[in-house]
Amino acid sequence: MMKYRAAGFTLIEVLIAVLIIGILASIAYPAYLQYVESGRRKSATSCLSELAQYMEQAYARTFSYSVALPLNETSCDNDLQLFYSFQFAQGQPTQTTYNIQAVPVGAQSGDACGTLSLNQAGQTTPTTSGCQW
């Protein structure tokens, strides 16, 4: 009589495959999250630039930044508002200055770059490595 060997995977082979997948996932997932945060940050900087253009248009019409509409009425992307709150810095805008901030909220609140800002002189923060515009 011929003996037949059962086809398939042993438990050890399956456990080794699961272990390898787990190790790869533990390396890839944090890198993926950093990539997603970086993408949202780039979108927020684009939105800040768009809001700054809006402020400059308001200044060209009225010679004052203080008459501009609230930022939530001129927002760039509704989906981006789930991750950033766009607002003026305290005491802003004045007749001759403005400082627009993008404060991270929700899933973006753990972002190492923190609050992004842009003022009427084109100065941006933060300026740390990896967070530059």
Side-chain angles (χ1 to χ4, degrees), residues 60-82:
R61 285 192 308 270
T62 63
F63 298 105
S64 175
Y65 292 118
S66 61
V67 297
L69 292 173
L71 294 179
N72 59 0
E73 295 180 18
T74 60
S75 64
C76 306
D77 182 4
N78 289 335
D79 292 337
L80 190 58
Q81 290 185 8
L82 297 173

Side-chain angles (χ1 to χ4, degrees), residues 91-114:
Q92 296 289 327
T94 66
Q95 186 170 353
T96 58
T97 65
Y98 67 84
N99 188 344
I100 306 170
Q101 297 179 332
V103 180
V105 296
Q108 194 73 13
S109 63
D111 188 8
C113 292

